[in-house]
Amino acid sequence: MGLQAVSECVCCGAQQFSVLVSRAQLTTEKNFGRQFFCGFVAPDTPDYMLQDRIVFTNDYDARLIACVRCGLVARDPRFTPLEAEVAYANDQYHPAWLEAAFQSYRRAFAEQMPAIIVRIGSRARVLELGSYVGGFLAAARDFGLDAQGVDVGTCVGEFKRAKGLRVRTGTLASAHFDTNAFDAVCVWNCFDQLPAPWPMLTELKRVLCKDGWLMLRVPNGEFITLVQRVLPCPRAKFKLLAHTGTLAFPYQFGYTPRVLRRMLAQAGFRDVRVRNDLFIIRGNESSRMSSQLAKAETRYLHATHALSELIARITAERVLVTWRINSATK
């Protein structure tokens, strides 16, 4: 496996890090996750129906570190750019899980689509980077947007094309889109998986038209740091991380609002806005998934979101601690 040690912060260039989570604890979190989620579903539920619950591409042995200067959270070691591309290109998914996940993501994005359209316009040309199972593309099509996707995954690419969605298999660079081709580019739950974010930001800037929108959703490094350092009870900590999708941290980076603002500004974007994002996926696993799990996750996410908003109001600044942050920039 092509892995590289984190020797320098990809945001600020600092070379000093604090250990946030040891290798042993991250392994413990992964093992807890298997036991935890399997307890909510039918005993005969196969592992392939628990994709993104107990099965991840980023499941190799690692620790979590935080940059002492800017606070960026990183998985150490991380993928090399080539290894990341190969790993995600070769990911295989069971047809039953693909269909269940597609429907769940489609419903979730449909709930958010009106707010997105208010910002980018009802006739926007939209590109989704890392379009995964196609839920966003389907919802965008349902709302009349001119949307297409690009993803390195071969399996998910074939699935999306079978759904009649426009998607190219490969990287953003290999797609060779025209300059200023899109009014909006959406990167939902993918930017945090990139081991080399700067070349991607440059290409995203190129394909966006003047005054176009870049929308990112990423795990919030501030939330990870807060939970790991403040909560004293391991089980309570692990349950919170499990319900907010950050247990065992199956990502390459946890970006903080300050880090995102700095990187996007340096890449030439302006009017950067960072806010809490409440994005709930209900029922990915199968129709047999326990409703108890869905209700518990909804409660946890709403409570975390409310706490995030309260902190933001008290501090009069977007000091966000929610499980993910959503960044929109022009």
Side-chain angles (χ1 to χ4, degrees):
M1 179 178 291
L3 300 175
Q4 57 185 353
V6 178
S7 59
E8 182 176 287
C9 177
V10 297
C11 172
C12 68
Q15 298 180 346
Q16 290 185 309
F17 303 88
S18 61
V19 177
L20 191 60
V21 179
S22 68
R23 291 173 181 261
Q25 182 182 321
L26 212 62
T27 299
T28 300
E29 288 186 18
K30 182 170 67 173
N31 294 336
F32 175 88
R34 170 172 285 276
Q35 181 181 16
F36 180 77
F37 286 115
C38 286
F40 280 102
V41 297
D44 60 343
T45 301
D47 280 3
Y48 61 72
M49 292 305 294
L50 291 168
Q51 183 74 35
D52 294 343
R53 299 286 190 176
I54 65 173
V55 181
F56 301 97
T57 304
N58 290 314
D59 65 351
Y60 58 85
D61 187 34
R63 62 178 184 168
L64 288 190
I65 58 176
C67 175
V68 298
R69 181 188 296 172
C70 72
L72 176 74
V73 174
R75 192 177 180 93
D76 181 35
R78 69 176 190 263
F79 279 142
T80 64
L82 178 59
E83 179 63 24
E85 182 178 339
V86 171
Y88 285 102
N90 293 332
D91 271 345
Q92 296 295 313
Y93 304 93
H94 193 277
W97 181 87
L98 282 170
E99 184 61 34
F102 170 76
Q103 296 299 340
S104 296
Y105 276 87
R106 186 179 191 172
R107 288 191 297 268
F109 277 115
E111 293 178 4
Q112 295 197 334
M113 199 59 63
I116 294 173
I117 289 177
V118 166
R119 181 162 292 169
I120 67 175
S122 60
R123 297 185 178 182
R125 300 164 298 166
V126 182
L127 174 69
E128 184 187 16
L129 175 64
S131 49
Y132 203 30
V133 296
F136 171 77
L137 294 178
R141 180 182 61 184
D142 294 342
F143 278 78
L145 292 175
D146 179 12
Q148 60 180 299
V150 59
D151 195 302
V152 297
T154 302
C155 176
V156 290
E158 293 174 353
F159 174 80
K160 285 174 288 194
R161 281 187 286 273
K163 292 287 185 181
L165 301 171
R166 288 193 297 157
V167 61
R168 301 188 189 187
T169 299
T171 65
L172 179 59
S174 69
H176 300 295
F177 291 113
D178 292 338
T179 300
N180 305 325
F182 300 100
D183 302 302
V185 176
C186 300
V187 191
W188 311 120
N189 315 330
C190 173
F191 189 72
D192 44 84
Q193 308 286 10
L194 304 173
W198 287 108
M200 184 62 67
L201 285 176
T202 300
E203 185 66 3
L204 289 171
K205 180 69 174 175
R206 185 189 69 80
V207 301
L208 271 173
C209 68
K210 183 180 180 181
D211 295 328
W213 286 93
L214 170 63
M215 296 186 175
L216 304 175
R217 180 185 292 122
V218 296
N220 190 342
E222 284 185 352
F223 171 72
I224 303 299
T225 299
L226 179 68
V227 172
Q228 292 290 358
R229 289 180 174 170
V230 172
L231 287 186
C233 175
R235 182 170 180 81
K237 178 191 301 185
F238 292 173
K239 284 183 65 177
L240 176 58
L241 293 172
H243 282 308
T244 54
T246 52
L247 186 69
F249 199 74
Y251 316 98
Q252 295 290 283
F253 296 109
Y255 292 97
T256 69
R258 182 174 65 163
V259 166
L260 271 185
R261 289 191 184 99
R262 176 173 180 165
M263 293 181 68
L264 290 168
Q266 190 171 336
F269 292 94
R270 58 182 175 83
D271 190 20
V272 179
R273 311 173 191 181
V274 180
R275 65 174 178 82
N276 294 316
D277 186 42
L278 186 61
F279 186 69
I280 301 175
I281 303 294
R282 299 180 179 89
N284 280 33
E285 287 74 12
S286 71
S287 59
R288 296 178 298 173
M289 187 189 82
S290 170
S291 61
Q292 183 182 359
L293 174 58
K295 292 178 181 178
E297 290 192 339
T298 300
R299 288 196 303 269
Y300 269 85
L301 291 174
H302 276 287
T304 305
H305 181 75
L307 177 61
S308 302
E309 291 297 284
L310 177 62
I311 291 175
R313 290 178 181 273
I314 292 174
T315 60
E317 187 178 355
R318 308 305 291 181
V319 182
L320 310 179
V321 295
T322 193
W323 71 300
R324 291 187 184 277
I325 50 181
N326 199 18
S327 174
T329 180
K330 297 178 76 174

